[in-house]
Every structure is written in structure tokens, then in C-alpha cells.
Amino acid sequence: MGRQRLWPSASVIAQLMVLPLWTVAPAVWALNADLEGVDDEVAVNIRAYLQNIQEDEYTESRLRGEIRQRTQEAMRVYGYYEPDISIDLPNENTARLTIDPGPQVIIETLDINVRGEAADDEPFQEARERFPLEVGDTLRHAPWDRLRGEFSGLAIERGYFDWGFSDRRMEVRPYLQSARLYMDFDSGPRYQFGETKITGSHIQLDRLQRMRPFRVGEPYLAESLARYNQRLAETDWFSSVSVTPRLKTAQELTLSPVGGGDPWWVSATESQPERPKISSAALSSVLSVRPSDDTLLPIDVSVEPANRHQFEVGIGFATDVGPRLRFGWDQPWINRYGHSLNHDLYLSAPEQRFTGLYDVPLEDPLRDSYRLQYGVRNVDDSDTDSLEGTVEIARRWEFDNDWVQSLYFRTTYEDFIQGGEADQVWLFYPGIQWSRTRTRPQRFPLWGDRQQFSVEYSDPAWGSDAQFLRITGDTEWIRTYGDDNRFSARVSVGAIETNDFAKIPPSLRFFAGGDSSVRGYSYEGLSPRNEQGKLRGGQQKLTSSIEYQRRVTGDWWGATFVDAGDAFDNWGPSDLKKSAGIGVRWISPVGPIRFDIAHPFDDDDDNWRLHFSIGPEF
């Protein structure tokens, strides 16, 4: 038998697309079945076959026949082809089945072959090797059906669009308790990526072309199209993105299927230019004379520009700062090169700041860019009074392992009073930072970690008012065990080495205490104090926390924690400030809400302190 040219039907593609989302509809338990003689998976399958029988729709003889037929079908998939079934109907809505399953069918012949270019394709080989049945095993239908579906799914995913089964048989001889299985899968040629055509873009096409994870002539892979779609969406340049192969197939060219109506590929190619159509009969005649051997598959990309101006307003509350407001104005694109401009205004009682970010994407817009950041910040909190202006130029790289490296040069002017000591300083200093954040899921991570490490250096040699070396490091981890046990831990360290600490502005000094530091103590209320007893900030900092959370019900969690830390001047504190407490976590529609009660062990007032905050942990 020659290879059949079987094109994937609409139903096949629909099943492959929705399979992960498939759920069982609620059963109609109109007939209760009591089973004797079978158990485990066979009994479960029989009950599944019988569950939607409506007894009042059958006469007694027809009901017995329907129950017998369905029971036989349910048992065949496990190799029982000759069961002896006795059916008793003692009362309404009840059936008692006494079953002698008889012998199971044994596989006598197993012949599975992959032909065509897929014969050397590793995923097909692995699918064949994973097939659990061998000669001498009991026949089971499910693995056989799964293998058939796996072959067809791999063909569509990996570009074998001319696939077909030249042989696919299951020969069962119940009287001999034997079965012969034959499957010959012929993939045909594998298609390659052709030219990519992009329509609707306001961004330079060359920039979008360089973002492709595939090249012309590479073997087709559906995953590569999905990755390209995701990359384009993550730029924030577009409101919608569609990446589809242009199916230059026999079906795509025909007028309509037998019986009328639109063929399945019409909806898949709506955005593509309409091509001339010919009748199915005429096409069949043409293909029989000269079949197509073109395996280059063009890719069509259709995009729509995102809104040029986007606005965001946020309202929050935290014990540290009280009510807080945030106004964001984002421009995801301002020219055809994909440059973006974002502004952010943050308002709270102790702090007000306005920041801007101008981003210039490079060859890989998602990973490489130049950034210009600027902003002003006013702080009036406790013993700190500061007005700061900053401009920073940075070069940013994101690597395949999710680490982000940023090399920057920053200039800062700060007019401040810290602990009664006033000064004005200009600082010019380069720095480098490495960071990585991984979470899943995003809103309330059940697994995640965050790391950040930075080094900065300032010197009067290039006009800076102070000489210093500043190093900071932070790490935080979240892990969940089972469904109801969540652990989090964090450590934060920092150090600054300088010959004139008085010239270091408050924005670079270290403070500890507060909602995200050492709970039980006031916000940034832990640091060395001067002779007047006012906070002056520290040259070093060390804080740590460990927390255990237990799900109470649904989106509600209980928590218990221990915190420790301080800001200090000498290398190594004599004694870290410690606290402990309990809390509640609620995963609300607007984000996680945290409420904690913490008790400090090294505070003169020895008072409990409440901590309340809204927003993600990372």
C-alpha cells in the first residue's frame, strides 16, 4: 500500500490545541451499577461507560442489550474480548453485573515503523521507544491510541505536513487470545522556514526580523513560532501580535469541502492576501501531473501598534510610609527605532520622587539596551531631610540564564541634613550591578528567588566631592512544599569604605528596620546615632529573615517569622537587633496583602508593632 497523503483535518488540529484544557463534563448518574468479578481500572472504566444510561429511555430487553454492549466495549480496551456477563435488574435505576472476564488477548505481533524524514528525527524515535507494550504483553488500547496521536502531533509541531499512515491495523483473534498490531507512519518531507513577511508594523522591519529565533532554511518547529510571537509581544510595541505559517497546501487552494461551507484553513489564513482559487477536481488533476516539492514555508507576521501613551494610577498603604500614590506615564514607543520613554511620580508622607527612563534598544531589544535615567527625590523622615537629583547613563545586558548586568555612570547632587549635620555634595561615580529575579506564579509566588549585587566607586580625581567604595548584596528565596507549606528567607548586606563619612549623603548610607527589613522596629530606625542621639546612618548593614507560612483556607495563609539585623559602623555588629511575630497573608484580587504583628527583643520601649503592606514580595 502506498503512502496516503493525509492532511490534518480541522478536528485533529482542534483536538491538539485544546487537549490540555479538556475536562470531563458532570456525569448523569441515572443508573447505579454494582459489579462483581472485576475491580480496579476495569471496573472504573465499565462504570464510566454506563454512567449516562437513562433507564427510562429503554425497554428492559433493550436496556440489557445496551448494558452488555457497553460493558464489552469497556473491557476490550484492557484486552478482555470474551467476557461472560450476567445482568440482573433488581429494582429501578440499579443494575447488578456478575462478570467472568475470561482470558486476556496477548500481543503476538508488534510492527511499528516510522518512515520518511522523521525516521531520523529524535522525538519520533523517543516516542517509539516509550511505547510500553511488547510482544507477549496483554493488549491494551490506550497506549496504541496515544502513540498514534503522538505521531500525528509531532508531525504538525515539527513541520511534517504531508504525514500519513500507510498502514494502521489492530487484528484481534479472540478465539486464539492473540492480537497483531501494525503501524506504518510515513512523515514525508520536513518543511523548512521560508521568508518572513511582516505587516502592520510601525517599527523598523529589520529590527523585528533580527528578533526571529529561526533562519530561512531551518527545519520548521512550532515552538520557534511561539517564541517569536512571545518576543514581539514582550517589546510592548504592539497591542496584538500574530505569527502564522502560510499554508501553501492543497486544501488551502480549493474552493470548499464537499457539502459546502468554508474549509478549516479559512480562519487560519484570514489575515493573508487572498490567492486565486480553483476547484478541487481541477486541483487534483494538476497535482496528479506535477505534485509540489516546495518545502519552504513562508511565515506571516501581523502586528498592530500599541497605544503611544499609556497611563497608570496606583494606590497603596504600608505601615512604613502610610498612604502612597503612584502615577505612571509610559510611552512604549516614540519612534520607528522602538525607543521608549517612561515617567513615574511617587507620593507618600516621608518621600516624594519623580523619575524618568529613556530606553534605546540595541540589536536584541529584549536583552540589550542603553538607558538614560533621571529623577528628583525629596525625603523628610525622622532625622533625614534630603533633596536629591540624579542622572544616570547605563548599558544593560540580559543573558540566557536570566541574569541582568548593568554597567552605569551616575551623577548625583544632594542637599541634605542628616542627624543635624548639613552638607551639599556632587558625586560622580561608575557602578556595575548583577541581578536576577525568577518567580512562578507572578502574583503570589510559590517558587522564586531574587539576587542582586552591586559595586560603586567614587573619587575626587574626576571631580566627585567624596571618595568611597560601596558594595551591596541582597538575596531572597521562596519555596513551597506540598500545597500548603510556604517558606521564605532573605539576607541583605551592605558596606561602604570611605575616608570622610560626613560627605556621604543619606541616599548612600545604611539604615535598617521596617516592613521589609527588621519588623518590630520603626522604618529605617536602626542605625548608629550621633552625640545628640539622632540617627546618622551606618557604614555597614546586615539584615536577615526566615518565615514559615501555612495555608489556612483558599487564599488565606497564616505566617510566623523571625527577623534580625542592624546598621553599624564597625566591621561586624556586636549584637544584631532581633524580633519575632505572627501574620496573615491574603491573596487579594489587587495583590497580596500582608498583616504582621512583631515584637522587638532589643527595643527600650518593648512594644509590639503592627506592619501592613500591599503588593508583591519581589
Side-chain angles (χ1 to χ4, degrees), residues 342-356:
N342 303 322
H343 288 100
D344 191 87
L345 176 63
Y346 172 87
L347 300 173
S348 68
E351 179 182 355
Q352 306 84 44
R353 66 173 180 264
F354 175 79
T355 58

Side-chain angles (χ1 to χ4, degrees), residues 171-242:
E171 298 178 355
V172 180
R173 296 171 172 80
Y175 56 90
L176 296 176
Q177 291 89 50
S178 68
R180 298 176 181 178
L181 308 182
Y182 303 92
M183 185 182 295
D184 278 349
F185 178 82
D186 192 343
S187 69
R190 185 174 186 180
Y191 282 67
Q192 295 86 39
F193 286 110
E195 297 291 339
T196 299
K197 180 181 179 181
I198 302 175
T199 58
S201 177
H202 55 295
I203 304 298
Q204 274 188 332
L205 296 184
D206 288 347
R207 184 172 292 274
L208 304 185
Q209 293 280 8
R210 288 196 298 267
M211 296 176 65
R212 291 178 304 165
F214 54 84
R215 296 181 180 179
V216 174
E218 287 185 356
Y220 175 90
L221 195 61
E223 181 183 354
S224 296
L225 287 189
R227 192 181 310 122
Y228 189 28
N229 194 306
Q230 181 180 1
R231 288 182 179 180
L232 293 175
E234 288 177 351
T235 62
D236 294 330
W237 294 334
F238 310 107
S239 61
S240 68
V241 177
S242 174

